[in-house]
Amino acid sequence: MEQELIERFRKIVGAVHAITDQDFIAPYLLEERGLFHGKTPLLLRPASTVEVSSIMQLASQTRTPIVPQGGNTGLVGGQQPDKNECSVLLSMERLNKIRCINLEGNFAVVEAGVILQTLQKKIDEAGRFFPLSLASEGSCQIGGNLSSNAGGTAVLAYGNMRELCLGLEVVLPDGRILEDLCFVKKNNSGYDLKNLFIGAEGTLGVITAAVLKLFPKIKGRAVAFVGLHSPVKALEFLSLAQCHGGGMLTSFELMGKLSLQMALKYKMCERHLFEHEHEWYVLLNISSLQGNGEALSVLSTILEQSLKEAVIEDAIIAQSLKQQDFFWQLRESISHAQKLAGGSIKHDIAVPLASIPDFIAEAALIVEDIAPGARVVCFGHMGDGNLHYNVTQPVESDTATFLQLWSPMNHRIHDLVMHYQGAFSAEHGIGQLKREELRTFKSPVALDIMQKIKKTLDPLGIMNPGKIL
Amino acid sequence: MEQELIERFRKIVGAVHAITDQDFIAPYLLEERGLFHGKTPLLLRPASTVEVSSIMQLASQTRTPIVPQGGNTGLVGGQQPDKNECSVLLSMERLNKIRCINLEGNFAVVEAGVILQTLQKKIDEAGRFFPLSLASEGSCQIGGNLSSNAGGTAVLAYGNMRELCLGLEVVLPDGRILEDLCFVKKNNSGYDLKNLFIGAEGTLGVITAAVLKLFPKIKGRAVAFVGLHSPVKALEFLSLAQCHGGGMLTSFELMGKLSLQMALKYKMCERHLFEHEHEWYVLLNISSLQGNGEALSVLSTILEQSLKEAVIEDAIIAQSLKQQDFFWQLRESISHAQKLAGGSIKHDIAVPLASIPDFIAEAALIVEDIAPGARVVCFGHMGDGNLHYNVTQPVESDTATFLQLWSPMNHRIHDLVMHYQGAFSAEHGIGQLKREELRTFKSPVALDIMQKIKKTLDPLGIMNPGKIL
């Protein structure tokens, strides 16, 4: 990249925030799973929507590719530049203001660079609840959550990020600002532009701010770890829990035996949670607007009836806040725990609920066929049909050799997912990782419309190129 | 329209369902409020997605404008052809199959022509709940509900039609079929195409089927009519009801004094509901998955505390299913009741909740300024910030003269709505009625994107021309 162009970008954000020092840039190019190793000559850290707009104007004048980045926690490489060293990395971290919290209207206007956990805390202090919750909440940012339509553990009751957003402010690839900061739930005035940018992984524009929905504060919570025999039983249990709990059932997380074993080992627990091991486990969360009493009462009803009908085998109700947190830490640590056991081939998929038992049974055969001895670590947000179907290398095998099976394994598992009319990317998106899968599994008509929309909104192709399409 | 072209369309749907008899066509061209008087040489009633596809192929080959129509209950003329007699009217009524109801996955696949009330009943019989509910549910169709992103009385807890839809099947203007019948809640595989077609009022394609979300069956309901002093108090009451009721508060409908008076007269009630009249009323609905006991208990708590804190003045809890229905009939009959009192100028608007009291006060001044003596009939889904701010002609005035004030009145009221950053069309859409308002109030950037999307998906401009844009 020519020095003169770097200088022009530098003038927009100021010298301190136009960074070419590669040591400084390095952490922005580190990608969690180590799958992507991008390069950039320039990192820009604008502090306002107007600065982002100026950056995009200059980028479109000079046809400079721009890669927006939030907390850099994405799992498909959407926030990473390619290796060509011609893309500018645009960190949104300094657009980190909560512009307003409106209690009566139950919304907040939040800039893209606000960290999710910060937002959760500020909203809690204000007397409301923002439900989005995921493992990386300590570092992921709202802009990234929107661009990837983040899911997580509270989708069952509150929906994905898409459902939590009322309106957006977006800088278009040509630098124009789309003001669509809608403050009301009902607004039928023309095409829904907001949802085009949500989940578009920064390929159609840069989200700079959003109006997010707030909810009444949760006053009580009850959490249980449940052991049960099979995915079929888990499905029955979910149905029973939903019929009794309705919207109070805010999480329903499935874990296979091996997932919990790994998590316990990672947390250095010497004793197992349960007296006897079970084939499958469910972590469920009941939330109440009234208090702990109501939450516990609903949870107890669900568990009693499930035990009576032999839907579940055993259950432990968390006896303290500390134990509730510990149960959740076990669930959240599975991905980290897996790393200790070697390399993993991952699938973030969704299957219609009724097909989950068949899917799990058939997927196991595929794994055994492709990589005999490989260990299935199957867990996820079963309430949403969303499984993280991860496969860890066989004990004492070679990691590199095993990881060469990533593509063929992905392809056959995704094939099975599509056979059941599910989603080959449930919550992580496409990024760089699943572009080939998108071309394979998406209908040609849908792909054609997507390409045309990309061409319409980003005719120069400068907006996060090489992602999704 | 040339006879030869009519014959070609006739071959697709069969002679019986390609209708040129204007007497037969007449009811399809009747529009509820009498604002639009369109004409068409040909009504087509296809029975399948493939037939719709063939129709659109022929339409694009011959550049024939197509106007899709559901139950013909739209209030902005979106489902009506213009007067030029060159558009073919495409009734979706024969695509009326519920393709499947999946209980474990909590979804149903429903064709566009299914009547909303029919769907509600079938889902209820199957042991689940489909929450969309609106005054025209006895004749409106799912395709129209989707194309207009219908709202209604249950949006507070369940969302608009947009939030109730998992996926779509759409015939594009060129006849290609977009299969996007997603069965899972989490699916981040590329741009969100579904939401482009929802709310697009048939201008981007013809929705032929949809995957709709189902919910656990409501086991109990409690309904109260509440009298209170002012919109400020109504706002306090809403906040209190939400904090106690959460997701169990499924409707919160505001009505001005005059709205209820008119409804009572229309229903020929000799006695007023309340001992003393109040300035404002709220009809609220508490739904329970457990039963009537829980619903009543939550409702009682809300009412007791509101009375104690002097938030409300009086409350009547419906004592029977019959009384519950009667309360709702009063609410639903306001529009009809208004007709008896003369001509009305209507506004379907949304205002951020905190601004509703100020909006109502200031709007009254505008009305008095433009049409002294005109009667404000203000009611609506206050829980969503959505008001039907209707203005009935002064007593014993001339209707035609009054209705000439439609545009200037609309314009100033909408101006005020936009001042409060609300929506000048909350749930009815743009259609033909609000095109001018869209051009006035929508941001130029948003309008530009909308126009480009229209051009991209419907380059020939044959898909419901003259609507929205």
Side-chain angles (χ1 to χ4, degrees):
Chain A
M1 185 167 292
E2 288 181 24
Q3 194 57 34
E4 187 236 333
L5 180 57
I6 291 178
E7 284 309 317
R8 290 173 74 187
F9 278 118
R10 184 166 281 155
K11 276 199 185 124
I12 296 170
V13 295
V16 185
H17 299 293
I19 297 144
T20 52
D21 175 355
Q22 288 296 326
D23 287 343
F24 193 100
I25 292 175
Y28 294 83
L29 297 177
L30 257 188
E31 184 268 326
E32 156 113 8
R33 290 181 182 164
L35 295 172
F36 303 100
H37 306 277
K39 292 180 181 172
T40 182
L42 179 64
L43 165 69
L44 296 176
R45 305 195 303 178
S48 69
T49 304
V50 170
E51 284 185 11
V52 176
S53 167
S54 302
I55 289 169
M56 290 315 305
Q57 275 174 49
L58 179 54
S60 62
Q61 279 162 24
T62 56
R63 305 206 170 202
T64 310
I66 300 288
V67 178
Q69 186 179 89
N72 193 18
T73 63
L75 295 169
V76 291
Q79 76 283 13
Q80 286 295 329
D82 60 23
K83 293 179 180 176
N84 297 336
E85 281 192 85
C86 63
S87 298
V88 169
L89 192 59
L90 184 71
S91 170
M92 302 302 285
E93 66 199 296
R94 291 177 66 228
L95 273 95
N96 60 358
K97 282 190 288 298
I98 296 174
R99 293 188 192 163
C100 86
I101 297 176
N102 186 306
L103 295 180
E104 280 160 313
N106 282 311
F107 65 81
V109 184
V110 182
E111 290 186 348
V114 173
I115 288 172
L116 174 55
Q117 201 168 64
T118 308
L119 181 68
Q120 291 167 342
K121 281 184 187 158
K122 295 279 180 195
I123 299 302
D124 182 66
E125 285 162 21
R128 291 290 184 275
F129 175 55
F130 183 67
L132 190 74
S133 178
L134 45 151
S136 61
E137 62 196 26
S139 46
C140 67
Q141 295 171 12
I142 294 303
N145 295 150
L146 285 160
S147 293
S148 62
N149 183 27
T153 56
V155 172
L156 187 58
Y158 297 95
N160 295 291
M161 193 59 169
R162 194 182 294 291
E163 283 86 39
L164 301 177
C165 177
L166 286 173
L168 291 182
E169 179 188 270
V170 181
V171 175
L172 300 177
D174 60 11
R176 288 183 301 165
I177 299 170
L178 172 67
E179 289 275 7
D180 194 18
L181 289 171
C182 174
F183 300 146
V184 290
K185 272 174 80 177
K186 283 185 176 176
N187 187 352
N188 281 345
S189 57
Y191 304 153
D192 179 52
L193 302 181
K194 170 187 80 179
N195 279 305
L196 261 187
F197 297 96
I198 299 175
E201 305 182 27
T203 63
L204 300 178
V206 185
I207 294 173
T208 49
V211 185
L212 301 178
K213 293 183 193 165
L214 307 182
F215 294 82
K217 207 160 174 164
I218 300 296
K219 299 251 178 65
R221 191 165 78 132
V223 177
F225 229 109
V226 169
L228 37 72
H229 179 62
S230 64
V232 171
K233 291 291 181 186
L235 207 54
E236 283 177 40
F237 184 45
L238 172 63
S239 179
L240 201 149
Q242 274 185 315
C243 281
H244 283 283
M248 293 172 70
L249 178 69
T250 44
S251 293
F252 190 97
E253 302 284 309
L254 181 74
M255 278 159 272
K257 180 160 71 173
L258 188 57
S259 313
L260 184 58
Q261 280 172 357
M262 284 182 175
L264 287 166
K265 193 171 168 192
Y266 178 79
K267 300 294 279 181
M268 292 180 286
C269 299
E270 290 180 11
R271 286 204 318 162
H272 200 279
L273 280 186
F274 290 84
E275 202 174 334
H276 306 287
E277 274 204 288
H278 302 271
E279 288 300 315
W280 292 88
Y281 301 93
V282 166
L283 176 63
L284 76 164
N285 204 99
I286 300 289
S287 300
S288 163
L289 297 176
Q290 310 303 326
N292 286 327
E294 188 190 49
L296 194 60
S297 151
V298 169
L299 180 62
S300 304
T301 307
I302 293 169
L303 296 179
E304 277 162 27
Q305 193 170 336
S306 304
L307 279 166
K308 204 173 77 184
E309 295 179 14
V311 172
I312 63 176
E313 296 174 336
D314 201 356
I316 309 171
I317 297 178
Q319 295 300 312
S320 62
L321 280 178
K322 202 177 147 194
Q323 200 177 13
Q324 287 186 355
D325 286 347
F326 176 66
F327 282 3
W328 273 101
Q329 281 168 26
L330 285 174
R331 162 64 187 83
E332 298 289 13
S333 67
I334 297 174
S335 295
H336 300 289
Q338 251 197 303
K339 278 193 185 167
L340 300 186
S344 290
I345 298 172
K346 308 209 167 187
H347 308 84
D348 161 46
I349 52 111
V351 175
L353 282 168
S355 305
I356 283 183
D358 288 346
F359 169 81
I360 289 178
E362 291 173 47
L365 300 178
I366 292 174
V367 170
E368 191 54 27
D369 186 38
I370 295 182
R375 292 163 289 170
V376 172
V377 179
C378 174
F379 63 99
H381 320 296
M382 183 171 172
D384 316 311
N386 178 196
L387 298 178
H388 299 304
Y389 192 85
N390 296 347
V391 184
T392 295
Q393 66 182 87
V395 179
E396 293 181 9
S397 65
D398 178 61
T399 303
T401 312
F402 174 72
L403 289 180
Q404 278 169 7
L405 301 171
W406 188 295
S407 273
M409 179 86 79
N410 266 202
H411 203 78
R412 279 189 61 191
I413 296 290
H414 292 157
D415 226 16
L416 183 64
V417 167
M418 297 315 282
H419 167 75
Y420 284 114
Q421 301 184 275
F424 60 90
S425 181
E427 56 177 13
H428 296 165
I430 302 298
Q432 302 178 60
L433 185 66
K434 291 189 175 175
R435 284 174 76 196
E436 193 52 46
E437 303 298 271
L438 186 78
R439 279 193 283 264
T440 307
F441 293 114
K442 201 83 177 176
S443 87
V445 178
L447 269 179
D448 178 59
I449 298 178
M450 285 170 56
Q451 271 148 356
K452 283 185 174 146
I453 286 172
K454 169 72 175 173
K455 190 97 187 156
T456 300
L457 289 175
D458 180 23
L460 302 176
I462 57 170
M463 204 66 254
N464 208 9
K467 314 298 159 58
I468 299 185
L469 291 168
Chain B
M1 185 167 289
E2 287 180 23
Q3 194 58 34
E4 187 237 333
L5 180 56
I6 293 179
E7 284 309 318
R8 289 174 73 187
F9 277 118
R10 183 164 283 153
K11 275 197 185 127
I12 295 170
V13 295
V16 184
H17 299 293
I19 297 145
T20 52
D21 174 356
Q22 288 297 324
D23 288 343
F24 192 99
I25 292 175
Y28 293 83
L29 296 177
L30 258 188
E31 183 267 326
E32 155 113 7
R33 291 180 180 165
L35 294 172
F36 303 99
H37 306 278
K39 291 179 180 172
T40 183
L42 178 63
L43 166 69
L44 296 177
R45 306 195 304 177
S48 69
T49 305
V50 170
E51 284 185 11
V52 176
S53 167
S54 303
I55 289 169
M56 290 314 306
Q57 274 176 49
L58 179 54
S60 62
Q61 280 162 23
T62 56
R63 304 205 168 203
T64 310
I66 299 288
V67 178
Q69 187 179 88
N72 193 19
T73 63
L75 295 168
V76 291
Q79 76 283 14
Q80 286 293 329
D82 60 23
K83 293 177 179 174
N84 295 336
E85 282 192 84
C86 62
S87 298
V88 169
L89 192 59
L90 183 70
S91 170
M92 302 302 287
E93 67 199 295
R94 291 176 65 229
L95 273 95
N96 61 358
K97 282 189 287 297
I98 297 174
R99 292 187 192 164
C100 85
I101 297 176
N102 185 307
L103 295 180
E104 280 161 313
N106 282 311
F107 65 81
V109 183
V110 182
E111 290 186 348
V114 173
I115 288 171
L116 174 55
Q117 200 168 64
T118 307
L119 181 67
Q120 291 167 342
K121 280 184 189 159
K122 294 280 179 194
I123 298 301
D124 182 66
E125 285 163 19
R128 290 290 184 274
F129 175 56
F130 183 67
L132 189 75
S133 178
L134 45 152
S136 61
E137 61 195 25
S139 46
C140 67
Q141 295 170 11
I142 294 303
N145 295 150
L146 286 159
S147 293
S148 61
N149 183 27
T153 55
V155 172
L156 188 56
Y158 296 96
N160 295 291
M161 192 59 168
R162 194 181 295 292
E163 282 86 38
L164 302 177
C165 177
L166 286 174
L168 291 181
E169 178 188 271
V170 181
V171 174
L172 299 177
D174 60 12
R176 287 182 301 165
I177 299 169
L178 171 66
E179 290 275 7
D180 193 18
L181 290 170
C182 173
F183 300 145
V184 290
K185 272 174 81 179
K186 284 185 176 175
N187 187 351
N188 282 346
S189 57
Y191 304 153
D192 179 52
L193 302 181
K194 168 187 81 178
N195 279 305
L196 261 187
F197 296 96
I198 298 175
E201 305 182 26
T203 63
L204 299 179
V206 185
I207 294 173
T208 49
V211 185
L212 301 177
K213 292 183 194 167
L214 307 182
F215 294 82
K217 207 160 175 164
I218 301 296
K219 299 250 178 65
R221 191 164 78 132
V223 177
F225 228 109
V226 169
L228 38 73
H229 180 62
S230 65
V232 170
K233 291 291 181 188
L235 207 55
E236 284 177 40
F237 183 44
L238 172 62
S239 179
L240 201 149
Q242 274 184 316
C243 281
H244 283 283
M248 292 173 70
L249 178 69
T250 43
S251 294
F252 190 97
E253 302 283 310
L254 181 74
M255 278 160 271
K257 180 159 72 172
L258 188 57
S259 313
L260 183 57
Q261 281 172 358
M262 284 181 173
L264 286 165
K265 193 171 167 191
Y266 178 80
K267 300 295 282 182
M268 293 180 287
C269 299
E270 290 179 13
R271 286 203 319 160
H272 200 280
L273 280 187
F274 289 84
E275 201 174 335
H276 306 287
E277 273 203 289
H278 302 271
E279 287 301 313
W280 291 89
Y281 301 93
V282 165
L283 176 62
L284 75 164
N285 205 99
I286 300 289
S287 301
S288 163
L289 297 176
Q290 311 302 326
N292 286 327
E294 188 190 48
L296 193 59
S297 152
V298 170
L299 180 62
S300 303
T301 307
I302 292 169
L303 296 179
E304 277 162 27
Q305 193 170 336
S306 305
L307 279 167
K308 205 173 77 184
E309 295 179 14
V311 172
I312 63 176
E313 296 174 337
D314 202 356
I316 309 170
I317 296 178
Q319 296 300 314
S320 62
L321 280 178
K322 201 177 148 194
Q323 200 177 12
Q324 288 186 354
D325 285 347
F326 176 66
F327 283 2
W328 273 101
Q329 281 168 26
L330 285 173
R331 163 63 188 85
E332 298 288 14
S333 67
I334 298 174
S335 295
H336 300 289
Q338 249 196 303
K339 279 193 185 165
L340 300 185
S344 291
I345 299 172
K346 308 208 167 188
H347 308 84
D348 160 47
I349 52 111
V351 176
L353 282 168
S355 304
I356 283 183
D358 287 345
F359 169 81
I360 288 177
E362 290 174 47
L365 300 178
I366 292 174
V367 169
E368 190 56 25
D369 186 39
I370 295 182
R375 293 163 287 171
V376 173
V377 179
C378 175
F379 64 99
H381 320 296
M382 183 170 172
D384 315 312
N386 177 196
L387 298 177
H388 299 304
Y389 192 86
N390 295 348
V391 184
T392 295
Q393 65 182 86
V395 178
E396 293 183 8
S397 65
D398 177 61
T399 302
T401 312
F402 174 73
L403 288 180
Q404 278 169 8
L405 300 171
W406 188 295
S407 273
M409 179 85 80
N410 266 202
H411 203 77
R412 280 189 60 191
I413 295 291
H414 291 158
D415 227 14
L416 184 63
V417 168
M418 297 314 281
H419 166 74
Y420 285 114
Q421 300 185 273
F424 60 89
S425 181
E427 56 177 13
H428 297 166
I430 302 298
Q432 301 177 60
L433 186 66
K434 291 191 175 175
R435 285 174 74 196
E436 194 53 46
E437 303 298 270
L438 186 77
R439 280 193 282 264
T440 307
F441 294 113
K442 201 82 178 177
S443 86
V445 178
L447 269 179
D448 178 59
I449 299 179
M450 284 169 57
Q451 271 149 357
K452 283 185 174 146
I453 286 171
K454 170 73 175 175
K455 189 96 187 157
T456 300
L457 288 175
D458 180 24
L460 302 176
I462 56 169
M463 203 68 254
N464 208 8
K467 314 300 159 56
I468 300 185
L469 291 168

